[in-house]
PDB file of all heavy atoms in Angstrom:
ATOM      1  N   VAL A  24       5.765   3.563  11.873  1.00  0.00           N
ATOM      2  CA  VAL A  24       5.817   2.543  10.892  1.00  0.00           C
ATOM      3  C   VAL A  24       7.290   2.232  10.557  1.00  0.00           C
ATOM      4  O   VAL A  24       7.682   1.010  10.474  1.00  0.00           O
ATOM      5  CB  VAL A  24       5.094   2.927   9.671  1.00  0.00           C
ATOM      6  CG1 VAL A  24       5.415   2.005   8.399  1.00  0.00           C
ATOM      7  CG2 VAL A  24       3.647   2.961   9.793  1.00  0.00           C
ATOM      8  N   GLY A  25       8.185   3.256  10.451  1.00  0.00           N
ATOM      9  CA  GLY A  25       9.563   2.995  10.221  1.00  0.00           C
ATOM     10  C   GLY A  25      10.190   2.094  11.340  1.00  0.00           C
ATOM     11  O   GLY A  25      10.962   1.233  11.135  1.00  0.00           O
ATOM     12  N   ALA A  26       9.898   2.569  12.629  1.00  0.00           N
ATOM     13  CA  ALA A  26      10.523   1.897  13.711  1.00  0.00           C
ATOM     14  C   ALA A  26       9.953   0.483  13.828  1.00  0.00           C
ATOM     15  O   ALA A  26      10.824  -0.533  14.120  1.00  0.00           O
ATOM     16  CB  ALA A  26      10.210   2.749  14.967  1.00  0.00           C
ATOM     17  N   TYR A  27       8.729   0.253  13.415  1.00  0.00           N
ATOM     18  CA  TYR A  27       8.187  -1.068  13.533  1.00  0.00           C
ATOM     19  C   TYR A  27       8.890  -2.001  12.544  1.00  0.00           C
ATOM     20  O   TYR A  27       9.205  -3.099  12.774  1.00  0.00           O
ATOM     21  CB  TYR A  27       6.652  -1.031  13.295  1.00  0.00           C
ATOM     22  CG  TYR A  27       6.011  -2.362  13.261  1.00  0.00           C
ATOM     23  CD1 TYR A  27       5.769  -2.941  14.449  1.00  0.00           C
ATOM     24  CD2 TYR A  27       5.657  -3.000  12.012  1.00  0.00           C
ATOM     25  CE1 TYR A  27       5.088  -4.188  14.563  1.00  0.00           C
ATOM     26  CE2 TYR A  27       5.053  -4.239  12.145  1.00  0.00           C
ATOM     27  CZ  TYR A  27       4.840  -4.858  13.326  1.00  0.00           C
ATOM     28  OH  TYR A  27       4.191  -6.030  13.417  1.00  0.00           O
ATOM     29  N   VAL A  28       9.111  -1.457  11.382  1.00  0.00           N
ATOM     30  CA  VAL A  28       9.810  -2.216  10.225  1.00  0.00           C
ATOM     31  C   VAL A  28      11.149  -2.547  10.662  1.00  0.00           C
ATOM     32  O   VAL A  28      11.613  -3.654  10.497  1.00  0.00           O
ATOM     33  CB  VAL A  28       9.721  -1.541   8.932  1.00  0.00           C
ATOM     34  CG1 VAL A  28      10.626  -2.123   7.854  1.00  0.00           C
ATOM     35  CG2 VAL A  28       8.331  -1.377   8.350  1.00  0.00           C
ATOM     36  N   ILE A  29      11.839  -1.638  11.260  1.00  0.00           N
ATOM     37  CA  ILE A  29      13.231  -1.850  11.724  1.00  0.00           C
ATOM     38  C   ILE A  29      13.287  -2.981  12.815  1.00  0.00           C
ATOM     39  O   ILE A  29      14.053  -3.906  12.716  1.00  0.00           O
ATOM     40  CB  ILE A  29      13.934  -0.611  12.117  1.00  0.00           C
ATOM     41  CG1 ILE A  29      14.198   0.314  10.936  1.00  0.00           C
ATOM     42  CG2 ILE A  29      15.201  -0.934  12.868  1.00  0.00           C
ATOM     43  CD1 ILE A  29      14.763   1.644  11.236  1.00  0.00           C
ATOM     44  N   ASN A  30      12.308  -2.824  13.739  1.00  0.00           N
ATOM     45  CA  ASN A  30      12.195  -3.838  14.847  1.00  0.00           C
ATOM     46  C   ASN A  30      11.934  -5.171  14.241  1.00  0.00           C
ATOM     47  O   ASN A  30      12.377  -6.193  14.701  1.00  0.00           O
ATOM     48  CB  ASN A  30      11.191  -3.341  15.875  1.00  0.00           C
ATOM     49  CG  ASN A  30      11.316  -4.154  17.090  1.00  0.00           C
ATOM     50  OD1 ASN A  30      12.351  -4.529  17.576  1.00  0.00           O
ATOM     51  ND2 ASN A  30      10.154  -4.432  17.632  1.00  0.00           N
ATOM     52  N   THR A  31      10.926  -5.237  13.332  1.00  0.00           N
ATOM     53  CA  THR A  31      10.547  -6.506  12.661  1.00  0.00           C
ATOM     54  C   THR A  31      11.717  -7.165  11.938  1.00  0.00           C
ATOM     55  O   THR A  31      11.900  -8.304  11.923  1.00  0.00           O
ATOM     56  CB  THR A  31       9.288  -6.327  11.835  1.00  0.00           C
ATOM     57  OG1 THR A  31       8.260  -5.797  12.619  1.00  0.00           O
ATOM     58  CG2 THR A  31       8.822  -7.602  11.254  1.00  0.00           C
ATOM     59  N   TYR A  32      12.485  -6.320  11.241  1.00  0.00           N
ATOM     60  CA  TYR A  32      13.617  -6.762  10.479  1.00  0.00           C
ATOM     61  C   TYR A  32      14.621  -7.596  11.330  1.00  0.00           C
ATOM     62  O   TYR A  32      15.168  -8.594  10.802  1.00  0.00           O
ATOM     63  CB  TYR A  32      14.327  -5.575   9.901  1.00  0.00           C
ATOM     64  CG  TYR A  32      15.716  -5.858   9.269  1.00  0.00           C
ATOM     65  CD1 TYR A  32      15.509  -6.374   7.861  1.00  0.00           C
ATOM     66  CD2 TYR A  32      16.876  -5.758   9.841  1.00  0.00           C
ATOM     67  CE1 TYR A  32      16.735  -6.622   7.272  1.00  0.00           C
ATOM     68  CE2 TYR A  32      17.983  -6.069   9.148  1.00  0.00           C
ATOM     69  CZ  TYR A  32      17.979  -6.505   7.889  1.00  0.00           C
ATOM     70  OH  TYR A  32      19.205  -6.760   7.249  1.00  0.00           O
ATOM     71  N   LYS A  33      14.723  -7.296  12.547  1.00  0.00           N
ATOM     72  CA  LYS A  33      15.646  -8.096  13.328  1.00  0.00           C
ATOM     73  C   LYS A  33      15.285  -9.535  13.517  1.00  0.00           C
ATOM     74  O   LYS A  33      16.229 -10.413  13.592  1.00  0.00           O
ATOM     75  CB  LYS A  33      15.711  -7.506  14.786  1.00  0.00           C
ATOM     76  CG  LYS A  33      16.267  -6.189  14.920  1.00  0.00           C
ATOM     77  CD  LYS A  33      16.254  -5.523  16.354  1.00  0.00           C
ATOM     78  CE  LYS A  33      16.757  -4.099  16.318  1.00  0.00           C
ATOM     79  NZ  LYS A  33      16.543  -3.457  17.578  1.00  0.00           N
ATOM     80  N   SER A  34      13.982  -9.840  13.371  1.00  0.00           N
ATOM     81  CA  SER A  34      13.632 -11.289  13.496  1.00  0.00           C
ATOM     82  C   SER A  34      13.910 -12.021  12.162  1.00  0.00           C
ATOM     83  O   SER A  34      14.038 -13.331  12.190  1.00  0.00           O
ATOM     84  CB  SER A  34      12.121 -11.336  13.693  1.00  0.00           C
ATOM     85  OG  SER A  34      11.775 -10.730  14.968  1.00  0.00           O
ATOM     86  N   TYR A  35      14.004 -11.347  11.017  1.00  0.00           N
ATOM     87  CA  TYR A  35      14.170 -11.961   9.786  1.00  0.00           C
ATOM     88  C   TYR A  35      15.385 -11.576   8.987  1.00  0.00           C
ATOM     89  O   TYR A  35      15.555 -11.750   7.778  1.00  0.00           O
ATOM     90  CB  TYR A  35      12.903 -11.585   8.913  1.00  0.00           C
ATOM     91  CG  TYR A  35      11.570 -12.048   9.465  1.00  0.00           C
ATOM     92  CD1 TYR A  35      10.810 -11.056   9.912  1.00  0.00           C
ATOM     93  CD2 TYR A  35      11.268 -13.354   9.635  1.00  0.00           C
ATOM     94  CE1 TYR A  35       9.568 -11.356  10.546  1.00  0.00           C
ATOM     95  CE2 TYR A  35      10.034 -13.665  10.166  1.00  0.00           C
ATOM     96  CZ  TYR A  35       9.269 -12.725  10.592  1.00  0.00           C
ATOM     97  OH  TYR A  35       8.047 -13.181  11.242  1.00  0.00           O
ATOM     98  N   ASP A  36      16.422 -11.012   9.673  1.00  0.00           N
ATOM     99  CA  ASP A  36      17.575 -10.547   9.062  1.00  0.00           C
ATOM    100  C   ASP A  36      18.449 -11.601   8.454  1.00  0.00           C
ATOM    101  O   ASP A  36      19.116 -11.283   7.529  1.00  0.00           O
ATOM    102  CB  ASP A  36      18.435  -9.621   9.965  1.00  0.00           C
ATOM    103  CG  ASP A  36      18.972 -10.457  11.227  1.00  0.00           C
ATOM    104  OD1 ASP A  36      18.479 -11.555  11.473  1.00  0.00           O
ATOM    105  OD2 ASP A  36      19.894  -9.963  11.826  1.00  0.00           O
ATOM    106  N   ASN A  37      18.305 -12.804   8.830  1.00  0.00           N
ATOM    107  CA  ASN A  37      19.075 -13.919   8.095  1.00  0.00           C
ATOM    108  C   ASN A  37      18.452 -14.130   6.795  1.00  0.00           C
ATOM    109  O   ASN A  37      19.183 -14.612   5.842  1.00  0.00           O
ATOM    110  CB  ASN A  37      19.051 -15.190   8.902  1.00  0.00           C
ATOM    111  CG  ASN A  37      19.895 -15.067  10.048  1.00  0.00           C
ATOM    112  OD1 ASN A  37      20.824 -14.304  10.142  1.00  0.00           O
ATOM    113  ND2 ASN A  37      19.806 -15.991  11.019  1.00  0.00           N
ATOM    114  N   PHE A  38      17.210 -13.909   6.504  1.00  0.00           N
ATOM    115  CA  PHE A  38      16.578 -14.063   5.196  1.00  0.00           C
ATOM    116  C   PHE A  38      16.802 -12.779   4.282  1.00  0.00           C
ATOM    117  O   PHE A  38      16.826 -12.985   3.121  1.00  0.00           O
ATOM    118  CB  PHE A  38      15.167 -14.204   5.300  1.00  0.00           C
ATOM    119  CG  PHE A  38      14.705 -15.556   5.825  1.00  0.00           C
ATOM    120  CD1 PHE A  38      14.248 -15.718   7.115  1.00  0.00           C
ATOM    121  CD2 PHE A  38      14.960 -16.741   5.112  1.00  0.00           C
ATOM    122  CE1 PHE A  38      13.964 -16.905   7.611  1.00  0.00           C
ATOM    123  CE2 PHE A  38      14.744 -17.925   5.628  1.00  0.00           C
ATOM    124  CZ  PHE A  38      14.212 -18.081   6.917  1.00  0.00           C
ATOM    125  N   LEU A  39      17.005 -11.641   4.966  1.00  0.00           N
ATOM    126  CA  LEU A  39      17.240 -10.445   4.085  1.00  0.00           C
ATOM    127  C   LEU A  39      18.655 -10.052   4.278  1.00  0.00           C
ATOM    128  O   LEU A  39      19.025  -9.021   4.992  1.00  0.00           O
ATOM    129  CB  LEU A  39      16.279  -9.337   4.642  1.00  0.00           C
ATOM    130  CG  LEU A  39      14.818  -9.637   4.561  1.00  0.00           C
ATOM    131  CD1 LEU A  39      14.036  -8.691   5.297  1.00  0.00           C
ATOM    132  CD2 LEU A  39      14.364  -9.912   3.100  1.00  0.00           C
ATOM    133  N   GLN A  40      19.565 -10.769   3.769  1.00  0.00           N
ATOM    134  CA  GLN A  40      21.077 -10.598   3.922  1.00  0.00           C
ATOM    135  C   GLN A  40      21.475  -9.303   3.289  1.00  0.00           C
ATOM    136  O   GLN A  40      22.476  -8.721   3.693  1.00  0.00           O
ATOM    137  CB  GLN A  40      21.748 -11.799   3.411  1.00  0.00           C
ATOM    138  CG  GLN A  40      21.548 -13.124   4.175  1.00  0.00           C
ATOM    139  CD  GLN A  40      22.159 -14.233   3.553  1.00  0.00           C
ATOM    140  OE1 GLN A  40      22.688 -14.158   2.402  1.00  0.00           O
ATOM    141  NE2 GLN A  40      22.143 -15.317   4.309  1.00  0.00           N
ATOM    142  N   ASP A  41      20.708  -8.731   2.340  1.00  0.00           N
ATOM    143  CA  ASP A  41      21.047  -7.562   1.703  1.00  0.00           C
ATOM    144  C   ASP A  41      20.731  -6.407   2.692  1.00  0.00           C
ATOM    145  O   ASP A  41      19.658  -6.164   3.059  1.00  0.00           O
ATOM    146  CB  ASP A  41      20.231  -7.359   0.470  1.00  0.00           C
ATOM    147  CG  ASP A  41      20.602  -6.011  -0.240  1.00  0.00           C
ATOM    148  OD1 ASP A  41      21.666  -5.347   0.122  1.00  0.00           O
ATOM    149  OD2 ASP A  41      19.825  -5.781  -1.294  1.00  0.00           O
ATOM    150  N   LYS A  42      21.757  -5.644   3.191  1.00  0.00           N
ATOM    151  CA  LYS A  42      21.558  -4.678   4.197  1.00  0.00           C
ATOM    152  C   LYS A  42      20.785  -3.453   3.639  1.00  0.00           C
ATOM    153  O   LYS A  42      20.364  -2.677   4.491  1.00  0.00           O
ATOM    154  CB  LYS A  42      22.990  -4.125   4.738  1.00  0.00           C
ATOM    155  CG  LYS A  42      23.728  -5.252   5.472  1.00  0.00           C
ATOM    156  CD  LYS A  42      22.899  -5.931   6.537  1.00  0.00           C
ATOM    157  CE  LYS A  42      23.539  -7.011   7.188  1.00  0.00           C
ATOM    158  NZ  LYS A  42      22.703  -7.859   8.073  1.00  0.00           N
ATOM    159  N   TYR A  43      20.574  -3.452   2.366  1.00  0.00           N
ATOM    160  CA  TYR A  43      19.736  -2.345   1.865  1.00  0.00           C
ATOM    161  C   TYR A  43      18.220  -2.555   2.157  1.00  0.00           C
ATOM    162  O   TYR A  43      17.432  -1.805   1.722  1.00  0.00           O
ATOM    163  CB  TYR A  43      20.002  -2.211   0.323  1.00  0.00           C
ATOM    164  CG  TYR A  43      21.338  -1.600   0.062  1.00  0.00           C
ATOM    165  CD1 TYR A  43      22.276  -2.408  -0.567  1.00  0.00           C
ATOM    166  CD2 TYR A  43      21.669  -0.360   0.429  1.00  0.00           C
ATOM    167  CE1 TYR A  43      23.645  -1.956  -0.812  1.00  0.00           C
ATOM    168  CE2 TYR A  43      23.077   0.122   0.183  1.00  0.00           C
ATOM    169  CZ  TYR A  43      23.918  -0.704  -0.514  1.00  0.00           C
ATOM    170  OH  TYR A  43      25.160  -0.232  -0.633  1.00  0.00           O
ATOM    171  N   ALA A  44      17.962  -3.816   2.613  1.00  0.00           N
ATOM    172  CA  ALA A  44      16.606  -4.098   2.913  1.00  0.00           C
ATOM    173  C   ALA A  44      15.972  -3.158   4.001  1.00  0.00           C
ATOM    174  O   ALA A  44      14.816  -2.832   4.000  1.00  0.00           O
ATOM    175  CB  ALA A  44      16.399  -5.512   3.466  1.00  0.00           C
ATOM    176  N   LEU A  45      16.836  -2.538   4.828  1.00  0.00           N
ATOM    177  CA  LEU A  45      16.386  -1.537   5.787  1.00  0.00           C
ATOM    178  C   LEU A  45      16.275  -0.177   5.227  1.00  0.00           C
ATOM    179  O   LEU A  45      15.676   0.772   5.890  1.00  0.00           O
ATOM    180  CB  LEU A  45      17.422  -1.487   6.923  1.00  0.00           C
ATOM    181  CG  LEU A  45      17.328  -2.469   8.009  1.00  0.00           C
ATOM    182  CD1 LEU A  45      18.277  -2.218   9.132  1.00  0.00           C
ATOM    183  CD2 LEU A  45      15.898  -2.307   8.665  1.00  0.00           C
ATOM    184  N   LEU A  46      16.773   0.093   3.994  1.00  0.00           N
ATOM    185  CA  LEU A  46      16.638   1.297   3.399  1.00  0.00           C
ATOM    186  C   LEU A  46      15.257   1.935   3.317  1.00  0.00           C
ATOM    187  O   LEU A  46      15.029   3.197   3.769  1.00  0.00           O
ATOM    188  CB  LEU A  46      17.249   1.377   2.002  1.00  0.00           C
ATOM    189  CG  LEU A  46      17.476   2.658   1.347  1.00  0.00           C
ATOM    190  CD1 LEU A  46      18.401   3.447   2.178  1.00  0.00           C
ATOM    191  CD2 LEU A  46      18.125   2.493  -0.047  1.00  0.00           C
ATOM    192  N   PRO A  47      14.218   1.255   2.964  1.00  0.00           N
ATOM    193  CA  PRO A  47      12.881   1.838   3.019  1.00  0.00           C
ATOM    194  C   PRO A  47      12.447   2.239   4.382  1.00  0.00           C
ATOM    195  O   PRO A  47      11.768   3.410   4.494  1.00  0.00           O
ATOM    196  CB  PRO A  47      11.939   0.671   2.484  1.00  0.00           C
ATOM    197  CG  PRO A  47      12.905  -0.187   1.732  1.00  0.00           C
ATOM    198  CD  PRO A  47      14.238  -0.091   2.345  1.00  0.00           C
ATOM    199  N   ALA A  48      12.721   1.602   5.418  1.00  0.00           N
ATOM    200  CA  ALA A  48      12.423   1.986   6.806  1.00  0.00           C
ATOM    201  C   ALA A  48      13.145   3.263   7.202  1.00  0.00           C
ATOM    202  O   ALA A  48      12.501   4.151   7.750  1.00  0.00           O
ATOM    203  CB  ALA A  48      12.668   0.904   7.829  1.00  0.00           C
ATOM    204  N   VAL A  49      14.432   3.343   6.753  1.00  0.00           N
ATOM    205  CA  VAL A  49      15.115   4.583   7.089  1.00  0.00           C
ATOM    206  C   VAL A  49      14.561   5.734   6.325  1.00  0.00           C
ATOM    207  O   VAL A  49      14.424   6.756   6.879  1.00  0.00           O
ATOM    208  CB  VAL A  49      16.764   4.300   6.801  1.00  0.00           C
ATOM    209  CG1 VAL A  49      17.458   5.618   6.911  1.00  0.00           C
ATOM    210  CG2 VAL A  49      17.283   3.229   7.741  1.00  0.00           C
ATOM    211  N   ILE A  50      14.220   5.471   5.092  1.00  0.00           N
ATOM    212  CA  ILE A  50      13.622   6.591   4.223  1.00  0.00           C
ATOM    213  C   ILE A  50      12.317   7.045   4.910  1.00  0.00           C
ATOM    214  O   ILE A  50      12.061   8.187   4.938  1.00  0.00           O
ATOM    215  CB  ILE A  50      13.486   6.011   2.825  1.00  0.00           C
ATOM    216  CG1 ILE A  50      14.807   6.009   2.068  1.00  0.00           C
ATOM    217  CG2 ILE A  50      12.573   7.079   2.088  1.00  0.00           C
ATOM    218  CD1 ILE A  50      14.795   5.372   0.823  1.00  0.00           C
ATOM    219  N   ILE A  51      11.507   6.095   5.314  1.00  0.00           N
ATOM    220  CA  ILE A  51      10.198   6.425   5.932  1.00  0.00           C
ATOM    221  C   ILE A  51      10.494   7.374   7.212  1.00  0.00           C
ATOM    222  O   ILE A  51       9.801   8.270   7.441  1.00  0.00           O
ATOM    223  CB  ILE A  51       9.482   5.172   6.352  1.00  0.00           C
ATOM    224  CG1 ILE A  51       8.881   4.510   5.138  1.00  0.00           C
ATOM    225  CG2 ILE A  51       8.308   5.510   7.353  1.00  0.00           C
ATOM    226  CD1 ILE A  51       8.241   3.110   5.317  1.00  0.00           C
ATOM    227  N   ILE A  52      11.489   6.958   7.983  1.00  0.00           N
ATOM    228  CA  ILE A  52      11.733   7.786   9.201  1.00  0.00           C
ATOM    229  C   ILE A  52      12.301   9.234   8.798  1.00  0.00           C
ATOM    230  O   ILE A  52      11.890  10.231   9.437  1.00  0.00           O
ATOM    231  CB  ILE A  52      12.784   7.118  10.079  1.00  0.00           C
ATOM    232  CG1 ILE A  52      12.057   5.805  10.760  1.00  0.00           C
ATOM    233  CG2 ILE A  52      13.277   8.120  11.198  1.00  0.00           C
ATOM    234  CD1 ILE A  52      12.991   4.964  11.549  1.00  0.00           C
ATOM    235  N   CYS A  53      13.162   9.246   7.765  1.00  0.00           N
ATOM    236  CA  CYS A  53      13.555  10.549   7.280  1.00  0.00           C
ATOM    237  C   CYS A  53      12.396  11.395   6.750  1.00  0.00           C
ATOM    238  O   CYS A  53      12.423  12.592   6.920  1.00  0.00           O
ATOM    239  CB  CYS A  53      14.641  10.382   6.133  1.00  0.00           C
ATOM    240  SG  CYS A  53      16.246   9.655   6.897  1.00  0.00           S
ATOM    241  N   VAL A  54      11.578  10.713   5.974  1.00  0.00           N
ATOM    242  CA  VAL A  54      10.421  11.468   5.450  1.00  0.00           C
ATOM    243  C   VAL A  54       9.453  12.012   6.641  1.00  0.00           C
ATOM    244  O   VAL A  54       8.966  13.096   6.511  1.00  0.00           O
ATOM    245  CB  VAL A  54       9.591  10.603   4.541  1.00  0.00           C
ATOM    246  CG1 VAL A  54       8.201  11.226   4.189  1.00  0.00           C
ATOM    247  CG2 VAL A  54      10.296  10.298   3.264  1.00  0.00           C
TER     248      VAL A  54
END
């Protein structure tokens, strides 16, 4: 799930200019 969110983020990164948008995916992988 974490890897999927990070991969999907690449398609929409211009809309999510806040780089903290990836934080939940990173937290999921750490968990």
